[in-house]
Amino acid sequence: MSMDQGPQHPFPVDMEGRAMVPDPRGNTGYVEQYRGGYGYPNYPVFDAKPEDAGFDFYKYLRILMKYRWLIAASLFSCIGIAIVVTLLMVPIYRSTTSIQIDREAMSIVKVDGLQPDEGQVGALEFYQTQYELLSSRSLAERVVSTIGLVEDKDFNVETPSLINTIKEFVLGTSTTEASADIDPATEQSAKLRKVVDRMTKTLVVAPVRGSKIVKVSIDHPNPKVAQRIANGYAEVFIADNLDRRFDATAYARKFLEDRLAQLKQKLEVSERDLVKYAEAQGIIQLDNNKNLSASDLEAINLKLSEARGERVKRELLWKQAQATDGLGLKEILDSEAVQENRKLRTQLAAEYQQKLAIYKPAFPEMAQLRNQIKELDLQVRSEVSSIKQSIEAGYLAAKEEEETLQSQLDVSKTDVVDQRNRSIEYNILQREVDTNRTLYDGLLQRYKEIGVAGGIGTNNISIVDKAALPQFPRFPRPLLNVGLAAIAGLLLGCIAALGLDYLDDSFKTPEDIERELGLSVLGVVPKPEHGNTVEEEMADPRSSISEAMRSLRTALQFSTSEGLPRTLLVTSSKPSEGKTTNSIHLAYTLARVGQNVLLIDGDLRNASIHRRMKISNEFGLTNYLAGSKRPEEVVQATDTERLVIMTSGPLPPNPVELLASPKLPALLAMAAESFDIVIIDGPPVMGLADSPVMGSIVQATMVVVAANETRRNTVRVALKRLQVGRANIIGAVLSKFDVVQSGYGYGYGYGDYSYHSYGQKELQDLRT
C-alpha cells in the first residue's frame, strides 16, 4: 500500500507563518505548532481510585494460592516440630473423681425441702470454704498417711524430664543424688513434706459452675497411682463428716415417726366421717370433684345451647324460603335436579329461538318445543316446593328439640340447688380430709428422704463418680498438638504470605490497576503456555493469547466516542513489559478482521520491530522525519493483507528533536486518512521524553503493564509524565499475566472456547 506524495508543507499556516496541522486525534479543525510538540485540549489528570473499604475475598484467595508452597512448608514444619516435641514429652495421666457438696444445715419439718436455701447469706462462703478444705495441706497430709504414699515407690519414682536430662548432661551430676546422713525423724518429716508438696502440685480442684459438683483430679505418670489418689481424696474428705451427721439424722427420724403415727390416725377418722355423711345424704361425688347432678346440668345446658343455635339457623332459613318465590335460595340453586332442568330448559329455549327464524310458532315442531319448556318449568316449581317443605320440616324438628331440652334443664336446676344445700357439711368434711392427707403425705416423703440420707450416715458430701483408670495420657495429646501446630503453621504461613504480598507492590491482577491507577483495563494478555512462544500461541487461533488479543481489539473499538482510535501509542513505564509484542499482535489481529493498519516502530533508541518481523530496517521513520524520504518510501508490506509496517530506520543521536518536529503530526494526519488505525510502538516512559512527546500528538495512548514485575510507583510516575505531555490515556493492558499464579482464572481461560465455532462468527460480525 502506498501513500500519495504531498507538498513539503501541505497544511495552512497562521498569521505568524506557523503550520496549522490537522489534529491526528481525529478532532475537527487544526492545532498550532509549538516548541517540541503541538497543543491539545486538557485531559483529566491521572489519579488513583481509593482502596475499596469492603473485604475482597478473591484478593486474599489469590495471595494464598500464589504462596501456597510457602504456606505448605510452614504447615509441615510446624507439624514436624510438634511431633518431635510430643515424642520427647513424658506422658502424664489424669484421674478425676466427682463429689457433690450440700449445705450442712438440714430442714426436718420444713415442707419446701430438706436442702437449705442456696440463696441464704453465707452460701458462697460455705462452698468457698469447702474448696479451700479440699486444697488444704492438712487434708493432703491425711490422704498421704491414709493411703501410704510416703513409702510408695510408684508414686515417688523420679521421672526424668527433658530439662533435667539437659541439666545432668551439662553439669555432669545427677539431680536426684541423696543428701548427707540426717536424723531419721527429720528425714521422715522431710519425706512427708516432699510427698505432700509433690501431690499438692498435681492436685486440681475444679468446681462445676452453676452446680454443687466438684471435680478432684490428680496428674501422675502412673495411671494407677493417679486413680488411687483421686479416690482416696474423695473418701478421706467424706469420712470427716460422717460422725457429726449421724446423731442429727437419728433424731429427725424419731421425730417424724411420732408425727406420722398421729396424722395417720387423724386421717382415718376424717375419711370415715366423710363416707358416712355422703351415704346418709345420697351424695355421689365424681372423680373431678363434681357431683352427678351438676354434671347432668352442665351436659344438658351444653346440648341446649347447640339446639338453640341449630333452631335459630333453621328458622332464618325457613323465613328466607317463605319470602322467596323464585330460585333465590342457595339450597334450591345447589339442587342437582334444578340445575339439570334449568340447563335443559336453556338448551330448548335456545333451540326454539333458533328455529323461530325458520318456522312459524304454530308449526308442530315449534309447539312441541314449547310444551317441553312448560313441562320443565313445572318440574322446577315442583322441586322448589319440595325443598321448601324440607326446610320447614327441619325447622319444626329443631324447635321441638329445643323445647324438650329446656324442660330437662329446668328439672336439673332444681336437683342441683337441692344437692348444694346438702353438700355444705360434706365440703367441710372433705376439706378436713384433704388437709390431713396433705400433711401426712408431706411428712411421709420427708421420712423416706431422711431414711435414704441416714443410710449413708446423713453426710452432706457424696461421691458422684469414682475415679476411673485413665486409658490415655492427658498430656501430651498428639492429635491436639499436631492440630494446634497445623493451625499455627497455617497462620504463620498466611501471615508470611500476606507480608510478602504487602511488600510486593507490583501489579498482580486487573483489579489492582483499576484500583490503584484509576485506569480501565482494556485487556489481559496471559503468559504463553509452558514451552511455547508468543508467536506459536498467536499462530493458534484457539490459544489464550489469541483470544486475549481479540478481546483487546474489541475493547479498543469502544475506547473513544468515535470508536477505534485513528492513532494509538503503545508504551510502558520501563523496558521488557511487552509493549512491542502487544503492538505487533494487536496490529495482526486488527488486520485479520479487515482493518487497514499501519504499524510504526516509534522506539528510536532500541528499535525491535524489524528484528521481530525479520524485515529490513534500512529506511524508516527517521528517514522521513529527517526529510530524506517520503512516507510511501519508508513503509513495507507484510504477508498479512491490510497490514503495513514502518520500521524505525537508522537510530538517530537526538530522537526527541526528530519526534518533536512538525513532520510527525503531519505523517499521522496523512496516515489517518489512508488507514483505519495507526499503531505506534513507543519507547518506555521512565527516563525518556520520547513517549510524552508522541502521546501529545496521537489520539489515544495505551499503557502496557507487566504483571508481577512493574512496581506501582513506577507506573504512577510514568502516567504523570504522560499527562504532563497532555496524552489521552484510554487504558492499560496487563501483560505476562500468570493465571495459575493468580490463584483463580479471572475468566481469562480463552483456550476453552472453540475458535471455529466462536471466533469465526466474531470475525464475520466485525467484517459486516
Side-chain angles (χ1 to χ4, degrees):
M1 180 177 292
S2 63
M3 294 182 295
D4 296 336
Q5 173 76 24
Q8 186 69 24
H9 297 286
F11 310 114
V13 296
D14 60 7
M15 298 179 62
E16 299 180 4
R18 293 181 297 183
M20 300 293 292
V21 182
D23 191 344
R25 300 187 181 201
N27 300 326
T28 57
Y30 298 87
V31 293
E32 294 183 1
Q33 178 185 356
Y34 73 101
R35 262 184 274 160
Y38 295 90
Y40 289 94
N42 291 328
Y43 290 90
V45 179
F46 158 76
D47 193 9
K49 294 181 181 179
E51 184 78 21
D52 293 336
F55 176 79
D56 190 351
F57 171 77
Y58 291 103
K59 171 185 175 182
Y60 293 101
L61 179 61
R62 176 191 58 78
I63 295 173
L64 297 181
M65 290 298 297
K66 178 180 179 181
Y67 296 99
R68 57 188 179 276
W69 296 115
L70 173 63
I71 297 174
S74 174
L75 170 65
F76 289 112
S77 298
C78 290
I79 291 177
I81 294 173
I83 292 175
V84 173
V85 172
T86 300
L87 293 176
L88 293 177
M89 289 181 177
V90 177
I92 301 297
Y93 294 86
R94 169 169 289 189
S95 186
T96 303
T97 182
S98 300
I99 60 176
Q100 177 178 341
I101 302 177
D102 298 320
R103 291 293 304 273
E104 288 192 42
M106 291 193 307
S107 177
I108 298 177
V109 295
K110 186 177 179 181
V111 178
D112 293 342
L114 277 174
Q115 303 303 328
D117 185 5
E118 300 300 336
Q120 294 179 6
V121 178
L124 179 62
E125 291 81 356
F126 167 76
Y127 284 106
Q128 190 63 38
T129 301
Q130 301 301 312
Y131 305 151
E132 292 298 327
L133 288 174
L134 278 170
S135 305
S136 65
R137 188 176 184 84
S138 60
L139 182 62
E141 291 178 352
R142 184 173 179 180
V143 171
V144 170
S145 301
T146 301
I147 61 179
L149 293 180
V150 177
E151 303 298 334
D152 191 337
K153 295 181 179 180
D154 292 334
F155 176 78
N156 296 308
V157 63
E158 293 290 342
T159 304
S161 63
L162 184 61
I163 298 177
N164 290 336
T165 303
I166 296 174
K167 286 183 178 180
E168 292 179 7
F169 177 78
V170 174
L171 299 177
T173 58
S174 174
T175 57
T176 60
E177 290 181 355
S179 58
D181 293 338
I182 57 176
D183 184 67
T186 305
E187 182 180 3
Q188 187 67 20
S189 177
K191 285 183 178 180
L192 177 62
R193 184 172 61 256
K194 184 178 180 180
V195 172
V196 171
D197 290 342
R198 179 180 296 175
M199 190 179 66
T200 53
K201 289 180 181 179
T202 64
L203 174 67
V204 178
V205 178
V208 178
R209 186 177 182 88
S211 70
K212 302 176 183 179
I213 304 298
V214 181
K215 293 184 178 295
V216 180
S217 304
I218 296 293
D219 295 336
H220 197 271
N222 191 324
K224 294 182 179 179
V225 173
Q227 179 189 23
R228 185 157 61 93
I229 297 176
N231 287 326
Y233 245 99
E235 293 170 358
V236 170
F237 189 60
I238 291 174
D240 191 46
N241 292 276
L242 292 177
D243 294 340
R244 292 184 293 107
R245 300 292 178 182
F246 181 77
D247 292 339
T249 302
Y251 171 78
R253 293 184 63 184
K254 182 66 173 61
F255 173 80
L256 290 177
E257 285 175 356
D258 295 341
R259 287 292 299 160
L260 283 172
Q262 297 175 9
L263 285 174
K264 182 179 180 181
Q265 183 179 4
K266 189 174 182 180
L267 178 60
E268 291 176 353
V269 172
S270 59
E271 287 179 343
R272 193 178 295 111
D273 294 340
L274 178 63
V275 173
K276 187 184 296 184
Y277 182 80
E279 291 178 353
Q281 297 296 327
I283 298 175
I284 300 176
Q285 200 76 6
L286 302 178
D287 293 338
N288 55 359
N289 293 329
K290 291 184 179 180
N291 55 54
L292 189 58
S293 299
S295 299
D296 292 342
L297 178 62
E298 183 178 354
I300 294 172
N301 187 52
L302 180 61
K303 290 289 184 179
L304 179 60
S305 299
E306 296 175 355
R308 183 176 291 115
E310 182 67 18
R311 190 266 305 167
V312 171
K313 183 175 68 173
R314 291 184 176 276
E315 183 178 3
L316 291 176
L317 183 61
W318 168 239
K319 290 181 179 180
Q320 185 180 2
Q322 287 180 323
T324 303
D325 294 333
L327 303 177
L329 286 178
K330 181 177 181 299
E331 286 76 4
I332 297 175
L333 294 176
D334 292 342
S335 174
E336 295 182 0
V338 173
Q339 292 177 358
E340 185 66 25
N341 287 338
R342 293 183 66 187
K343 180 180 178 181
L344 184 58
R345 185 188 186 284
T346 302
Q347 295 175 353
L348 293 176
E351 183 181 358
Y352 181 82
Q353 293 296 329
Q354 183 180 6
K355 292 183 177 182
L356 190 61
I358 302 173
Y359 306 108
K360 292 183 178 182
F363 192 74
E365 185 176 352
M366 299 296 290
Q368 183 181 2
L369 287 174
R370 285 196 301 274
N371 293 333
Q372 290 179 355
I373 292 173
K374 291 179 182 179
E375 180 63 25
L376 289 175
D377 291 339
L378 291 176
Q379 292 179 5
V380 169
R381 283 194 292 272
S382 175
E383 182 66 21
V384 169
S385 177
S386 298
I387 293 174
K388 289 184 177 181
Q389 291 177 2
S390 176
I391 293 174
E392 181 182 9
Y395 161 65
L396 295 177
K399 183 177 180 182
E400 182 179 357
E401 182 182 3
E402 179 187 5
E403 293 173 353
T404 302
L405 289 174
Q406 182 64 45
S407 61
Q408 292 180 359
L409 181 65
D410 295 338
V411 174
S412 182
K413 285 181 179 179
T414 304
D415 294 341
V416 170
V417 172
D418 180 65
Q419 182 77 17
R420 287 182 177 178
N421 293 331
R422 291 183 285 113
S423 297
I424 296 175
E425 183 65 24
Y426 177 85
N427 292 334
I428 294 173
L429 295 174
Q430 181 66 50
R431 282 194 296 271
E432 183 177 357
V433 170
D434 294 341
T435 301
N436 293 335
R437 182 178 291 109
T438 301
L439 292 174
Y440 180 80
D441 291 342
L443 287 179
L444 183 60
Q445 179 66 24
R446 197 69 58 208
Y447 179 79
K448 292 179 180 179
E449 292 174 355
I450 293 177
V452 173
I456 59 170
T458 65
N459 197 3
N460 67 321
I461 302 173
S462 59
I463 297 177
V464 178
D465 291 319
K466 285 190 174 184
L469 182 67
Q471 301 297 322
F472 303 99
R474 177 182 177 272
F475 184 83
R477 290 187 244 181
L479 293 180
L480 177 62
N481 291 350
V482 172
L484 293 176
I487 295 174
L490 286 175
L491 290 177
L492 290 176
C494 293
I495 292 173
L498 293 175
L500 292 175
D501 185 78
Y502 178 78
L503 296 176
D504 182 9
D505 64 345
S506 62
F507 293 96
K508 307 170 189 65
T509 65
E511 287 79 359
D512 293 342
I513 296 178
E514 294 176 350
R515 181 175 59 251
E516 299 293 337
L517 303 180
L519 291 179
S520 299
V521 178
L522 300 176
V524 179
V525 181
K527 282 185 176 181
E529 296 182 2
H530 181 67
N532 296 339
T533 63
V534 177
E535 287 72 17
E536 292 174 345
E537 292 279 340
M538 284 298 299
D540 182 7
R542 294 174 295 179
S543 66
S544 58
I545 294 182
S546 297
E547 185 61 36
M549 285 299 167
R550 290 194 288 269
S551 178
L552 175 59
R553 177 198 66 208
T554 304
L556 286 175
Q557 292 177 335
F558 300 97
S559 60
T560 66
S561 59
E562 294 84 9
L564 192 69
R566 303 302 298 272
T567 55
L568 174 67
L569 171 65
V570 181
T571 184
S572 62
S573 59
K574 63 184 186 65
S576 302
E577 291 196 64
K579 59 179 180 57
T580 300
T581 300
N582 284 278
S583 300
I584 294 174
H585 294 298
L586 177 60
Y588 270 120
T589 303
L590 289 168
R592 286 169 181 166
V593 294
Q595 300 286 340
N596 295 320
V597 183
L598 173 62
L599 175 61
I600 301 176
D601 191 347
D603 191 350
L604 303 184
R605 300 176 186 271
N606 184 21
S608 58
I609 288 183
H610 65 282
R611 292 194 298 269
R612 300 284 294 275
M613 304 292 293
K614 297 180 181 180
I615 58 178
S616 173
N617 193 30
E618 183 179 359
F619 302 105
L621 177 63
T622 55
N623 300 101
Y624 166 75
L625 296 179
S628 60
K629 295 290 182 181
R630 291 176 299 179
E632 64 271 17
E633 297 176 344
V634 295
V635 296
Q636 302 181 50
T638 63
D639 295 338
T640 302
E641 186 181 0
R642 299 179 182 273
L643 174 59
V644 178
I645 295 178
M646 180 184 293
T647 61
S648 64
L651 300 184
N654 52 351
V656 177
E657 295 180 5
L658 286 178
L659 295 174
S661 67
K663 283 184 170 293
L664 182 58
L667 173 65
L668 297 179
M670 289 186 293
E673 296 178 358
S674 302
F675 295 91
D676 296 319
I677 182 172
V678 179
I679 301 176
I680 303 177
D681 176 28
V685 178
M686 298 303 294
L688 304 175
D690 303 17
S691 289
V693 170
M694 288 188 287
S696 64
I697 300 173
V698 298
Q699 181 182 359
T701 300
M702 183 176 70
V703 180
V704 178
V705 180
N708 298 301
E709 293 182 11
T710 309
R711 301 185 63 181
R712 302 181 182 184
N713 191 56
T714 302
V715 181
R716 291 193 186 98
V717 175
L719 292 175
K720 290 184 181 295
R721 292 196 61 193
L722 289 173
Q723 289 171 347
V724 170
R726 298 186 179 183
N728 178 25
I729 304 173
I730 61 174
V733 174
L734 184 65
S735 65
K736 303 181 182 180
F737 181 71
D738 192 341
V739 177
V740 177
Q741 187 181 26
S742 67
Y744 58 101
Y746 273 97
Y748 304 121
Y750 304 114
D752 294 337
Y753 295 94
S754 172
Y755 174 78
H756 297 287
S757 62
Y758 174 75
Q760 292 291 352
K761 182 179 183 300
E762 182 191 44
L763 294 177
Q764 184 64 29
D765 293 342
L766 290 174
R767 290 193 181 101
T768 57

Coordinates of all heavy atoms in Angstrom, one line a residue, residues 434-486:
D434 N -58.7 -33.6 103.1 CA -57.6 -33.2 102.2 C -56.4 -32.6 103.0 O -55.3 -32.8 102.7 CB -58.1 -32.1 101.3 CG -59.1 -32.7 100.3 OD1 -59.1 -34.0 100.1 OD2 -59.9 -31.9 99.7
T435 N -56.7 -31.8 104.1 CA -55.7 -31.2 104.9 C -54.9 -32.3 105.6 O -53.6 -32.3 105.6 CB -56.3 -30.3 105.9 OG1 -57.0 -29.2 105.2 CG2 -55.2 -29.6 106.7
N436 N -55.6 -33.3 106.2 CA -54.8 -34.3 106.9 C -54.0 -35.2 105.9 O -52.9 -35.6 106.3 CB -55.8 -35.2 107.6 CG -56.5 -34.5 108.8 OD1 -56.0 -33.5 109.3 ND2 -57.7 -34.9 109.2
R437 N -54.5 -35.4 104.7 CA -53.8 -36.2 103.8 C -52.6 -35.5 103.3 O -51.5 -36.1 103.1 CB -54.7 -36.6 102.6 CG -54.0 -37.5 101.5 CD -54.9 -37.9 100.4 NE -55.9 -38.8 100.8 CZ -57.2 -38.5 100.9 NH1 -57.6 -37.2 100.5 NH2 -58.1 -39.3 101.2
T438 N -52.7 -34.2 103.1 CA -51.5 -33.4 102.6 C -50.4 -33.4 103.6 O -49.2 -33.6 103.3 CB -51.9 -32.0 102.3 OG1 -52.9 -32.0 101.3 CG2 -50.8 -31.1 101.8
L439 N -50.8 -33.2 104.9 CA -49.7 -33.2 106.0 C -49.1 -34.6 106.1 O -47.9 -34.8 106.2 CB -50.4 -32.8 107.3 CG -50.8 -31.4 107.4 CD1 -51.6 -31.1 108.7 CD2 -49.6 -30.5 107.3
Y440 N -49.9 -35.6 106.0 CA -49.4 -37.0 106.1 C -48.4 -37.3 105.0 O -47.4 -37.9 105.2 CB -50.6 -38.0 106.2 CG -50.1 -39.4 106.3 CD1 -49.7 -39.9 107.5 CD2 -50.1 -40.3 105.2 CE1 -49.3 -41.3 107.7 CE2 -49.7 -41.6 105.3 CZ -49.3 -42.1 106.5 OH -48.8 -43.4 106.7
D441 N -48.9 -37.0 103.7 CA -48.0 -37.3 102.6 C -46.7 -36.5 102.6 O -45.6 -37.1 102.3 CB -48.7 -37.0 101.3 CG -49.9 -37.9 101.0 OD1 -50.0 -39.0 101.6 OD2 -50.8 -37.5 100.2
G442 N -46.7 -35.3 103.1 CA -45.5 -34.5 103.1 C -44.5 -35.1 104.2 O -43.3 -35.2 103.9
L443 N -45.0 -35.4 105.3 CA -44.1 -36.0 106.4 C -43.6 -37.4 106.0 O -42.5 -37.7 106.3 CB -44.9 -36.1 107.7 CG -45.1 -34.7 108.4 CD1 -45.9 -34.9 109.7 CD2 -43.8 -34.0 108.7
L444 N -44.5 -38.1 105.3 CA -44.0 -39.5 104.8 C -42.9 -39.3 103.8 O -41.9 -40.1 103.9 CB -45.2 -40.2 104.2 CG -44.9 -41.7 103.8 CD1 -44.4 -42.5 104.9 CD2 -46.1 -42.3 103.1
Q445 N -43.0 -38.4 102.9 CA -42.0 -38.2 101.9 C -40.7 -37.7 102.6 O -39.6 -38.2 102.2 CB -42.4 -37.1 100.9 CG -41.4 -36.8 99.8 CD -41.1 -38.0 98.9 OE1 -41.9 -38.9 98.8 NE2 -39.9 -38.0 98.3
R446 N -40.8 -36.8 103.5 CA -39.6 -36.3 104.3 C -39.0 -37.5 105.0 O -37.8 -37.6 105.1 CB -40.1 -35.2 105.2 CG -38.9 -34.4 105.8 CD -38.3 -33.6 104.7 NE -39.4 -32.7 104.1 CZ -39.4 -32.3 102.9 NH1 -38.4 -32.6 102.1 NH2 -40.3 -31.5 102.5
Y447 N -39.8 -38.4 105.6 CA -39.3 -39.5 106.4 C -38.5 -40.4 105.4 O -37.4 -40.9 105.8 CB -40.4 -40.3 107.0 CG -40.0 -41.5 107.8 CD1 -39.4 -41.3 109.1 CD2 -40.1 -42.7 107.3 CE1 -39.0 -42.5 109.8 CE2 -39.7 -43.9 108.0 CZ -39.2 -43.7 109.2 OH -38.8 -44.8 109.9
K448 N -39.0 -40.6 104.2 CA -38.2 -41.5 103.3 C -36.9 -40.9 102.9 O -35.9 -41.6 102.7 CB -39.1 -41.8 102.0 CG -40.3 -42.6 102.3 CD -41.2 -42.8 101.1 CE -42.4 -43.7 101.3 NZ -43.2 -43.8 100.1
E449 N -36.9 -39.6 102.6 CA -35.7 -38.9 102.2 C -34.6 -39.0 103.3 O -33.5 -39.2 103.1 CB -36.0 -37.4 101.9 CG -36.8 -37.3 100.6 CD -37.2 -35.8 100.4 OE1 -36.9 -35.0 101.2 OE2 -37.8 -35.5 99.3
I450 N -35.1 -38.8 104.6 CA -34.1 -38.8 105.7 C -33.6 -40.3 105.9 O -32.5 -40.5 106.2 CB -34.8 -38.3 107.0 CG1 -35.0 -36.8 106.8 CG2 -33.9 -38.6 108.2 CD1 -35.7 -36.2 108.0
G451 N -34.5 -41.2 105.6 CA -34.1 -42.6 105.7 C -33.0 -42.9 104.7 O -32.0 -43.6 105.0
V452 N -33.1 -42.4 103.5 CA -32.1 -42.6 102.5 C -30.8 -41.9 102.9 O -29.7 -42.5 102.8 CB -32.5 -42.1 101.1 CG1 -31.4 -42.1 100.1 CG2 -33.7 -42.9 100.6
A453 N -30.9 -40.7 103.4 CA -29.7 -40.0 103.9 C -29.1 -40.7 105.1 O -27.8 -40.8 105.2 CB -30.1 -38.6 104.3
G454 N -29.9 -41.3 105.9 CA -29.3 -42.0 107.1 C -28.6 -43.2 106.7 O -27.7 -43.7 107.4
G455 N -29.0 -43.8 105.5 CA -28.3 -45.0 105.0 C -26.8 -44.8 104.7 O -26.0 -45.7 104.8
I456 N -26.4 -43.5 104.4 CA -25.0 -43.2 104.2 C -24.5 -42.3 105.3 O -23.5 -41.6 105.0 CB -24.9 -42.5 102.8 CG1 -25.7 -41.2 102.8 CG2 -25.3 -43.4 101.7 CD1 -25.4 -40.4 101.5
G457 N -25.0 -42.4 106.4 CA -24.5 -41.6 107.5 C -25.0 -40.2 107.5 O -24.4 -39.3 108.2
T458 N -26.0 -39.8 106.7 CA -26.6 -38.5 106.6 C -25.4 -37.5 106.3 O -25.4 -36.4 106.9 CB -27.3 -38.1 107.9 OG1 -26.4 -38.0 109.0 CG2 -28.5 -39.0 108.2
N459 N -24.6 -37.8 105.5 CA -23.4 -36.9 105.1 C -23.9 -36.0 104.0 O -24.6 -36.4 103.1 CB -22.3 -37.8 104.6 CG -21.0 -37.0 104.7 OD1 -20.9 -35.8 105.0 ND2 -19.9 -37.6 104.2
N460 N -23.4 -34.7 104.1 CA -23.8 -33.8 103.0 C -22.8 -33.8 101.9 O -22.9 -33.0 101.0 CB -23.8 -32.4 103.6 CG -22.5 -31.9 104.0 OD1 -21.7 -32.7 104.6 ND2 -22.2 -30.6 103.8
I461 N -21.9 -34.7 101.9 CA -20.9 -34.9 100.8 C -21.0 -36.3 100.3 O -20.9 -37.3 101.1 CB -19.4 -34.6 101.3 CG1 -19.4 -33.2 101.9 CG2 -18.4 -34.8 100.2 CD1 -18.1 -32.9 102.5
S462 N -21.1 -36.5 99.0 CA -21.3 -37.8 98.4 C -20.5 -37.9 97.1 O -20.2 -36.8 96.5 CB -22.7 -38.1 98.1 OG -23.3 -37.1 97.2
I463 N -20.1 -39.1 96.8 CA -19.3 -39.3 95.6 C -20.3 -39.5 94.4 O -21.2 -40.4 94.5 CB -18.4 -40.5 95.7 CG1 -17.3 -40.3 96.8 CG2 -17.7 -40.8 94.4 CD1 -16.5 -41.5 97.1
V464 N -20.1 -38.7 93.4 CA -21.0 -38.8 92.2 C -20.4 -39.9 91.2 O -21.0 -40.8 90.8 CB -21.2 -37.5 91.5 CG1 -22.0 -37.6 90.2 CG2 -21.8 -36.5 92.5
D465 N -19.1 -39.7 90.9 CA -18.4 -40.6 90.0 C -17.0 -40.9 90.6 O -16.3 -40.0 90.9 CB -18.2 -40.0 88.6 CG -19.5 -39.9 87.9 OD1 -20.3 -40.8 88.0 OD2 -19.8 -38.9 87.2
K466 N -16.7 -42.2 90.8 CA -15.4 -42.5 91.2 C -14.4 -42.4 90.1 O -14.7 -42.4 88.9 CB -15.4 -44.0 91.7 CG -16.1 -44.1 93.1 CD -15.8 -45.5 93.7 CE -16.3 -45.7 95.1 NZ -16.0 -47.0 95.7
A467 N -13.2 -42.2 90.5 CA -12.1 -42.0 89.5 C -11.9 -43.3 88.8 O -11.8 -44.4 89.4 CB -10.8 -41.6 90.2
A468 N -11.9 -43.2 87.5 CA -11.6 -44.4 86.6 C -10.2 -44.4 86.2 O -9.4 -43.4 86.2 CB -12.5 -44.3 85.4
L469 N -9.7 -45.6 85.8 CA -8.3 -45.8 85.4 C -8.2 -45.1 84.0 O -8.8 -45.5 83.0 CB -8.0 -47.2 85.3 CG -6.5 -47.5 84.9 CD1 -5.6 -47.1 86.0 CD2 -6.3 -49.0 84.6
P470 N -7.4 -44.0 83.9 CA -7.2 -43.4 82.6 C -6.5 -44.3 81.6 O -5.5 -44.9 81.9 CB -6.4 -42.1 82.9 CG -5.7 -42.5 84.2 CD -6.6 -43.4 85.0
Q471 N -7.1 -44.3 80.4 CA -6.6 -45.1 79.3 C -5.6 -44.4 78.5 O -4.7 -45.0 77.9 CB -7.7 -45.6 78.5 CG -8.8 -46.4 79.2 CD -8.2 -47.7 79.8 OE1 -7.4 -48.4 79.2 NE2 -8.6 -48.1 81.0
F472 N -5.7 -43.1 78.4 CA -4.9 -42.3 77.5 C -4.3 -41.1 78.3 O -4.9 -40.6 79.2 CB -5.7 -41.7 76.3 CG -6.3 -42.8 75.5 CD1 -7.7 -43.1 75.7 CD2 -5.6 -43.5 74.6 CE1 -8.3 -44.1 75.0 CE2 -6.2 -44.5 73.8 CZ -7.6 -44.8 74.0
P473 N -3.1 -40.8 78.0 CA -2.5 -39.6 78.7 C -3.2 -38.3 78.4 O -3.6 -38.1 77.3 CB -1.0 -39.6 78.2 CG -1.1 -40.3 76.9 CD -2.1 -41.3 77.0
R474 N -3.3 -37.5 79.4 CA -3.9 -36.2 79.2 C -2.9 -35.3 78.5 O -3.2 -34.4 77.8 CB -4.3 -35.6 80.6 CG -4.8 -34.2 80.5 CD -5.2 -33.6 81.8 NE -5.7 -32.2 81.7 CZ -4.9 -31.2 81.7 NH1 -3.6 -31.3 81.8 NH2 -5.4 -30.0 81.6
F475 N -1.6 -35.5 78.8 CA -0.6 -34.6 78.3 C 0.7 -35.5 78.0 O 1.0 -36.3 78.9 CB -0.3 -33.5 79.2 CG 0.7 -32.5 78.7 CD1 0.3 -31.5 77.8 CD2 2.1 -32.6 79.0 CE1 1.2 -30.6 77.3 CE2 3.0 -31.7 78.5 CZ 2.5 -30.7 77.6
P476 N 1.3 -35.5 76.9 CA 0.9 -34.7 75.7 C -0.2 -35.4 74.9 O -0.3 -36.6 75.0 CB 2.1 -34.6 74.9 CG 2.9 -35.9 75.2 CD 2.6 -36.2 76.7
R477 N -1.0 -34.6 74.2 CA -2.0 -35.2 73.3 C -1.6 -35.0 71.9 O -1.6 -33.9 71.3 CB -3.4 -34.5 73.5 CG -4.0 -34.8 74.9 CD -5.4 -34.2 75.0 NE -5.4 -33.3 76.0 CZ -6.5 -32.6 76.3 NH1 -7.6 -32.8 75.7 NH2 -6.5 -31.7 77.3
P478 N -1.1 -36.1 71.3 CA -0.6 -36.0 69.9 C -1.5 -35.3 68.9 O -1.0 -34.4 68.2 CB -0.2 -37.5 69.5 CG -0.1 -38.2 70.8 CD -1.1 -37.5 71.7
L479 N -2.7 -35.8 68.9 CA -3.6 -35.2 67.9 C -3.9 -33.7 68.1 O -3.9 -32.9 67.2 CB -5.0 -35.9 67.9 CG -4.9 -37.4 67.4 CD1 -6.3 -38.0 67.5 CD2 -4.4 -37.5 66.0
L480 N -4.0 -33.3 69.4 CA -4.2 -31.9 69.7 C -3.0 -31.1 69.4 O -3.1 -30.0 68.8 CB -4.6 -31.8 71.2 CG -4.8 -30.3 71.7 CD1 -5.9 -29.7 71.0 CD2 -5.0 -30.3 73.2
N481 N -1.8 -31.7 69.8 CA -0.6 -30.9 69.5 C -0.4 -30.8 68.0 O 0.0 -29.7 67.5 CB 0.6 -31.7 70.1 CG 0.6 -31.6 71.6 OD1 -0.2 -30.9 72.2 ND2 1.4 -32.4 72.2
V482 N -0.6 -31.8 67.2 CA -0.5 -31.7 65.8 C -1.5 -30.8 65.2 O -1.2 -30.0 64.3 CB -0.6 -33.1 65.2 CG1 -0.6 -33.0 63.6 CG2 0.6 -34.0 65.6
G483 N -2.7 -30.8 65.7 CA -3.8 -29.9 65.3 C -3.4 -28.5 65.5 O -3.5 -27.6 64.7
L484 N -3.0 -28.2 66.8 CA -2.6 -26.8 67.1 C -1.4 -26.4 66.3 O -1.3 -25.2 65.8 CB -2.2 -26.7 68.6 CG -3.4 -26.9 69.5 CD1 -3.0 -26.9 71.0 CD2 -4.5 -25.8 69.3
A485 N -0.4 -27.3 66.1 CA 0.7 -27.0 65.2 C 0.3 -26.7 63.8 O 0.9 -25.8 63.2 CB 1.7 -28.1 65.3
A486 N -0.7 -27.5 63.3 CA -1.2 -27.2 62.0 C -1.8 -25.9 61.8 O -1.6 -25.1 60.9 CB -2.1 -28.3 61.6

